[in-house]
Amino acid sequence: MSKILKTVFDEPGKKVRLNDISAQPPKGMTRDEAEKRFVALGKELFDLQDAMFGAKVNSVMVVLQGRDGAGKDGTIKHVVGCLNPRGVSVVSFGVPTTEEREHDFLWRVHRHAPRRGEFSIFNRSHYEDVLVVRVHDLAPKRLWKERFGHIADFEELLAEHGTIVLKYFLHITKVEQEQRLREREQAAETAWKLNPNDWKERDYWDEYTGAYEDAISRTAASHAPWIIVPANAKWYRNLVIAESIVGALRDHKKNWEHRLSEMGKAGKAGLAAYRAQRAAGRNAKKKGR
Ligand code: ATP
């Protein structure tokens, strides 16, 4: 079995150089193998989700970031498609509304943080406030610079309350992006996604690279790691993300199973007490007759 290669940043301050990280699947990994493994991981993910849902100790926040056409929607379709929709919410963060603008930048995000037992999948996120906002000067530097610290604190807060925070950068090359945007144009079923802004944003490729590198480096933490996903091949991207989520959840499996077993014992004891009480009531009634 080929090794799944991905780059993980889980300590703050470590320098990130995206141009040094491959966006291609590793040699030796075939589409056929990746798809088979993805199916197996999908089943495991479903079972882990079930245990987490019942145990109500942890929750999962998956942040999907990437350039236009990097595959955020495709990831949601494939990876989230493995989950039971009960207990999953997918939230897309676009240009802030007037109401959102009238609050601090985390206001619109925090309210979508997952409840215990559940998943929240973010299609873009609070990171846009240190990415697009920085690249296009939408807020003064002194404001967005402070946001790295606010984001780190926010994610730490969630983690302290049992949220498993996983942040993915879908890493594609500029050539791959162009190909995907052109394909979108040609295929009738994807043409609805066309947006001239995607082409405009390409002109800021290097500025986004710098902004992503800083954001990743400044907010990476063991409780909120960044995973750089080689995403030029969609089948490999799906495998990496599924494997990474399953890996993070597996660490909690024993704890959830223990909790579920305790809950089962408590449930059985409650039922036994109820039956004993009912039987005693019936006996008392008989005697009274
Ligand atoms: P795809 O990547 O599949 O093309 P998308 O994620 O670009 O889809 P859209 O609804 O077309 O989806 O775009 C959302 C837009 O909202 C992006 O251009 C993003 O940069 C912008 N956006 C998100 N958050 C903010 C923010 N806080 N401030 C300004 N713009 C934002």
Side-chain angles (χ1 to χ4, degrees):
M1 223 196 302
S2 317
K3 209 166 174 260
I4 298 176
L5 288 183
K6 57 186 189 268
T7 312
V8 178
F9 289 93
D10 57 5
E11 51 180 291
K14 201 168 162 205
K15 195 107 193 76
V16 179
R17 297 218 26 99
L18 289 175
N19 288 337
D20 294 346
I21 301 172
S22 172
Q24 300 294 352
K27 283 201 179 71
M29 175 65 77
T30 64
R31 180 172 185 159
D32 188 50
E33 179 189 344
E35 287 179 348
K36 281 191 186 125
R37 290 172 71 177
F38 177 78
V39 170
L41 284 163
K43 289 185 184 139
E44 189 176 350
L45 183 55
F46 187 90
D47 291 341
L48 285 163
Q49 179 198 13
D50 226 27
M52 182 178 82
F53 186 84
K56 298 265 185 293
V57 180
N58 296 103
S59 60
V60 182
M61 182 172 94
V62 171
V63 169
L64 296 175
Q65 285 289 159
R67 304 172 198 264
D68 296 304
K72 299 181 290 294
D73 284 337
T75 301
I76 292 168
K77 188 157 87 182
H78 288 92
V79 180
V80 183
C82 301
L83 295 167
N84 183 339
R86 175 199 66 176
V88 182
S89 57
V90 176
V91 193
S92 297
F93 292 97
V95 177
T97 62
T98 308
E99 189 188 22
E100 287 169 351
R101 260 185 235 286
E102 287 172 351
H103 292 85
D104 69 85
F105 80 106
L106 288 174
W107 179 79
R108 67 173 182 163
V109 178
H110 203 164
R111 55 212 287 236
H112 293 290
R115 309 165 77 127
R116 281 200 191 128
E118 301 195 2
F119 274 76
S120 283
I121 315 291
F122 288 178
N123 179 357
R124 301 188 187 266
S125 66
H126 41 298
Y127 282 96
E128 291 296 320
D129 288 280
V130 289
L131 295 167
V132 64
V133 166
R134 171 180 179 172
V135 169
H136 291 294
D137 263 331
L138 303 179
K141 185 172 181 182
R142 60 168 174 80
L143 210 62
W144 63 251
K145 268 196 109 170
E146 288 301 314
R147 291 181 177 165
F148 295 123
H150 296 314
I151 290 174
D153 288 346
F154 168 59
E155 292 175 353
E156 189 180 358
L157 172 75
L158 297 184
E160 270 172 14
H161 287 75
T163 302
I164 301 163
V165 180
L166 299 166
K167 305 177 292 193
Y168 296 94
F169 174 67
L170 308 186
H171 185 36
I172 55 166
T173 53
K174 204 171 179 185
V175 173
E176 177 67 22
Q177 187 195 46
E178 179 173 359
Q179 203 174 318
R180 289 189 187 182
L181 294 180
R182 289 199 187 284
E183 276 167 14
R184 238 180 227 187
E185 222 170 303
Q186 274 140 26
E189 62 276 16
T190 50
W192 65 271
K193 285 188 179 181
L194 289 175
N195 184 348
N197 203 42
D198 295 347
W199 287 95
K200 280 190 214 151
E201 290 298 86
R202 259 176 82 74
D203 293 339
Y204 296 90
W205 185 274
D206 293 337
E207 287 82 351
Y208 272 108
T209 302
Y212 266 112
E213 287 175 346
D214 273 355
I216 293 167
S217 158
R218 299 286 298 269
T219 63
S222 56
H223 56 265
W226 272 104
I227 298 104
I228 314 296
V229 182
N232 267 9
K234 296 170 185 172
W235 49 265
Y236 188 65
R237 171 202 73 201
N238 294 340
L239 176 65
V240 169
I241 298 177
E243 189 255 359
S244 147
I245 300 177
V246 166
L249 267 59
R250 264 188 210 138
D251 293 343
H252 298 267
K253 190 178 174 196
K254 269 209 177 108
N255 188 26
W256 297 336
E257 284 174 349
H258 176 71
R259 170 117 175 127
L260 291 176
S261 138
E262 292 300 307
M263 287 163 76
K265 279 184 207 156
K268 278 185 187 162
L271 195 57
Y274 163 73
R275 284 184 179 140
Q277 204 181 16
R278 251 190 98 177
R282 256 191 255 125
N283 287 341
K285 237 184 187 174
K286 266 190 216 157
K287 276 187 193 153
R289 265 191 218 137

